[in-house]
Amino acid sequence: MLLGAGQFCTNPGVIVAINNSDTQEFIKNAVARVTNQDEQIMLTTQIARAYQEGQQKIADHRDVVTLYKGISGGRYGAPAIFSTSAKTWLEDDGLHEEVFGATGQINLAENEDEVLQFVRQLGGQLTCAIHHDFGDVAMVQKLLPLLEQKAGRLLSNGFPTGVEVSHATVHGGPYPASTNFGATSVGTLSIRRFCDLFLIKILIGHPLRIPSSH
């Protein structure tokens, strides 16, 4: 969640779990890990502002508990973890909106049926991960047919990786980003994209403004 100030498309930002002692222990450990983490610089001022506004919108929700919220400001974003009931999430579409950054939302379900209902209402995702044990086979069998319709990649007891910077990686931007290096934001071709942008700026007489923090 903290990787790159949470600015990865596969950042694990939404969690649904049955509310029991194991889940409470998980929450306790997660909060301990993010507490007092330094804020990180975000890609642009606009992204940082949207992140801060998204965080605050969740924090202001009357049925959401702020477990931890660092201090964000300017172009910097600090992590936050919020918690609410799965029932609240199901009833409020505003909580479904993505907060692009290091923010996690833990939704507590009362039982397996509520977890399944949560997944049915979940929007499209790049990745979804199921964390399970040997005793959860029956539940996993119920979840898989639902999740395979929601996500492009499913993981078992793991978290999605970051993005490999390689010659084969092209991602981001509008179609056809998969074949057009001019729209990619990752991979070695993104270097060419930004070099070309730099050259164009010079040719038209508008030099790039590099933030002083860089």
Side-chain angles (χ1 to χ4, degrees):
M1 191 184 82
L2 301 176
L3 181 65
Q7 299 171 113
F8 282 78
C9 298
T10 56
N11 175 34
V14 177
I15 297 170
V16 59
I18 294 176
N19 190 10
N20 55 32
S21 58
D22 289 336
T23 300
Q24 291 301 320
E25 184 68 17
F26 165 78
I27 292 173
K28 177 182 176 181
N29 291 333
V31 172
R33 290 294 297 272
V34 303
T35 298
N36 299 323
Q37 288 287 331
D38 292 336
E39 69 275 10
Q40 299 182 63
I41 192 166
M42 303 194 78
L43 292 169
T44 68
T45 302
Q46 291 79 7
I47 288 175
R49 184 181 303 116
Y51 173 66
Q52 294 157 18
E53 291 173 354
Q55 265 193 346
Q56 197 58 47
K57 181 179 178 180
I58 297 176
D60 290 341
H61 195 290
R62 64 180 183 179
D63 294 320
V64 170
V65 177
T66 300
L67 300 174
Y68 177 80
K69 183 175 180 291
I71 300 175
S72 301
R75 194 171 159 186
Y76 289 83
I81 296 182
F82 302 99
S83 177
T84 189
S85 67
K87 183 176 183 294
T88 297
W89 186 92
L90 287 166
E91 294 174 348
D92 190 342
D93 291 344
L95 292 174
H96 302 193
E97 297 177 10
E98 178 187 18
V99 177
F100 184 66
T103 288
Q105 186 183 151
I106 302 172
N107 302 278
L108 301 175
E110 293 301 318
N111 49 52
E112 291 185 356
D113 288 340
E114 203 165 63
V115 172
L116 293 172
Q117 187 180 357
F118 185 99
V119 172
R120 290 189 185 98
Q121 198 164 319
L122 193 67
Q125 308 291 321
L126 289 177
T127 64
C128 284
I130 306 175
H131 295 269
H132 58 93
D133 209 334
F134 294 108
D136 302 318
V137 173
M139 184 60 178
V140 172
Q141 290 174 335
K142 295 176 183 178
L143 285 169
L144 284 177
L146 299 173
L147 289 175
E148 68 182 7
Q149 302 298 319
K150 303 286 184 175
R153 180 184 177 197
L154 299 180
L155 297 99
S156 173
N157 289 335
F159 293 96
T161 59
V163 181
E164 176 70 22
V165 180
S166 69
H167 298 301
T169 307
V170 181
H171 170 69
Y175 178 86
S178 57
T179 57
N180 179 12
F181 76 86
T184 187
S185 57
V186 299
T188 53
L189 285 176
S190 65
I191 300 172
R192 179 178 171 184
R193 170 193 173 190
F194 289 110
C195 284
D196 286 353
L197 175 64
F198 184 78
L199 178 61
I200 291 171
K201 289 280 189 178
I202 292 176
L203 291 176
I204 64 176
H206 295 287
L208 290 174
R209 292 182 179 180
I210 307 299
S212 58
S213 57
H214 284 182

